[in-house]
Amino acid sequence: MYQELDEFIKYLSVTHTNSKCTSDAYYRDIARFLTFLKDKGIEDLNIDKDIVYQYVEALRSGKITKKKISNATFARNVSALKSFYRYLNLQEIVDDNPFLSLQNIKVKKHLPDVLTFDEMESLLSSFDLASPIELRNRTIVETIYACGLRISECLNIKLTDIDNNNLIIRVMGKGSKERIIPFYPRLLELIDKYLLEYRDIYASQDSPYLFVSTRGSKMSSRSVQLMLQDVQNRLPIKVNIHPHMLRHSFATHLLDNGADLRVVQELLGHANLSTTQIYTHLTYDRLKNAVIKAHPHSRKN
């Protein structure tokens, strides 16, 4: 059964544009189900709906994962198993797809946390640019915020991806989709300073990446996360600052200042406009709260 799972993951990598994180999650979700079958002494992937319902009940209640899972995680598990059995059906390994009997789970979308413009300025100003490491960290944070990047996109930037003359950066997004993102002159000044005072000192000669550690190797996402946690401790900002919050803040601040939604969609690299529209709710809520707090008639009946 696990051989079929391995073949399915290979099939996804060839025919779909799922990210490695999604493929890894699918593998874990399906492997958990195969373990469930094995524990029941079932060695055939041709199963009936009763087994599906038993598994779903055990998964939903937390018996399998040892803790209750969110609607989003449950929906991803169901989606993974539906896709797996669709593949098995196409390969004529099973007769039908028993997971099709499950209703789609509606996942409530939570609005992401963002930094206000003033909080973002405080964050950027908190770095001591006289320190080479602080200079590197500030450049990473501002690059993510200036271009609305995912942390992986930022850390994968190579020196050859930056066009200084036209002020654009070429990034590789999800599904190996390339996009071109403009940036402002202040970021170029910061990058030039970083290259001279940090990268030229620490980077190994064969490293193509813009951002490197003190060992000269490519920076890791975890090191950036820990850096932001450390910076947060010296700021009066209560929310938990993480790399993706900088991307959320980028989108929200653009919309707050009148940017077109489809422009923001293109800059973020979203395949669907509906993904970008979540930021319009953030902007609406911020405007509404501003009116309630500031308008002289807002508290009058």
Side-chain angles (χ1 to χ4, degrees):
M1 291 192 292
Y2 289 92
Q3 181 180 347
E4 285 82 359
L5 172 55
D6 290 336
E7 292 298 325
F8 170 64
I9 297 300
K10 291 178 184 177
Y11 169 80
L12 284 182
S13 67
V14 173
T15 61
H16 291 67
T17 57
N18 290 345
S19 68
K20 187 178 185 303
C21 290
T22 301
S23 295
D24 289 347
Y26 269 33
Y27 186 94
R28 291 192 301 270
D29 295 341
I30 297 167
R32 188 184 297 119
F33 174 68
L34 297 183
T35 300
F36 172 82
L37 295 181
K38 184 179 178 181
D39 291 344
K40 282 187 165 293
I42 300 173
E43 299 182 357
D44 188 349
L45 288 168
N46 271 296
I47 58 171
D48 57 29
K49 294 178 183 178
D50 288 340
I51 295 298
V52 170
Y53 293 146
Q54 288 177 36
Y55 178 71
V56 167
E57 191 280 327
L59 180 67
R60 202 69 162 117
S61 65
K63 293 177 183 176
I64 290 179
T65 56
K66 308 303 179 186
K67 63 178 181 180
K68 284 202 170 186
I69 61 176
S70 66
N71 284 344
T73 301
F74 180 71
R76 190 198 64 219
N77 273 261
V78 172
S79 177
L81 289 164
K82 281 183 178 179
S83 296
F84 180 50
Y85 266 83
R86 186 182 303 115
Y87 163 79
L88 295 175
N89 191 232
L90 287 172
Q91 300 300 316
E92 299 183 2
I93 297 171
V94 300
D95 298 327
D96 56 22
N97 187 342
F99 284 92
L100 291 179
S101 60
L102 296 178
Q103 296 290 329
N104 289 330
I105 307 301
K106 289 186 177 180
V107 181
K108 181 180 179 182
K109 291 187 177 181
H110 295 283
L111 296 180
D113 288 326
V114 298
L115 295 173
T116 66
F117 180 75
D118 288 341
E119 288 173 337
M120 193 70 227
E121 285 296 294
S122 295
L123 172 61
L124 294 174
S125 300
S126 69
F127 295 97
D128 179 7
L129 299 188
S131 162
I133 292 179
E134 290 265 299
L135 171 60
R136 179 202 64 188
N137 294 344
R138 159 71 182 268
T139 309
I140 291 173
V141 170
E142 183 138 11
T143 300
I144 296 173
Y145 172 64
C147 302
L149 304 180
R150 301 176 179 91
I151 181 61
S152 60
E153 294 171 345
C154 178
L155 299 184
N156 281 326
I157 293 174
K158 298 177 182 177
L159 293 174
T160 53
D161 292 329
I162 304 174
D163 183 339
N164 292 351
N165 294 326
N166 295 303
L167 295 180
I168 56 175
I169 294 179
R170 180 183 293 104
V171 299
M172 193 64 69
K174 283 187 175 181
S176 298
K177 292 181 179 179
E178 183 184 88
R179 66 186 192 276
I180 306 298
I181 303 175
F183 61 91
Y184 43 75
R186 188 177 84 168
L187 177 59
L188 179 59
E189 294 174 7
L190 191 62
I191 290 175
D192 285 342
K193 182 178 176 64
Y194 156 75
L195 291 174
L196 180 65
E197 299 180 18
Y198 180 93
R199 193 184 184 283
D200 288 353
I201 298 171
Y202 290 103
S204 57
Q205 290 185 346
D206 60 345
S207 176
Y209 296 104
L210 174 63
F211 295 115
V212 296
S213 68
T214 52
R215 297 187 301 275
S217 57
K218 176 184 172 184
M219 290 279 291
S220 69
S221 299
R222 182 59 179 162
S223 63
V224 177
Q225 292 168 352
L226 292 173
M227 175 267 289
L228 282 172
Q229 290 175 14
D230 181 61
V231 173
Q232 181 182 345
N233 291 334
R234 62 196 193 207
L235 293 172
I237 299 176
K238 296 181 180 179
V239 293
N240 178 36
I241 303 176
H242 53 86
H244 217 64
M245 180 184 286
L246 306 178
R247 177 172 158 89
H248 294 322
S249 301
F250 161 85
T252 304
H253 294 170
L254 285 184
L255 290 170
D256 279 350
N257 286 281
D260 182 83
L261 184 63
R262 290 197 178 275
V263 171
V264 176
Q265 176 193 6
E266 185 173 347
L267 291 172
L268 292 174
H270 286 161
N272 299 311
L273 188 63
S274 59
T275 308
T276 317
Q277 284 175 329
I278 190 171
Y279 297 110
T280 63
H281 296 297
L282 286 172
T283 300
Y284 170 77
D285 287 344
R286 286 151 66 92
L287 292 174
K288 181 180 177 181
N289 289 334
V291 170
I292 291 174
K293 289 180 179 179
H295 199 286
H297 288 182
S298 66
R299 294 184 179 85
K300 292 185 178 182
N301 294 327

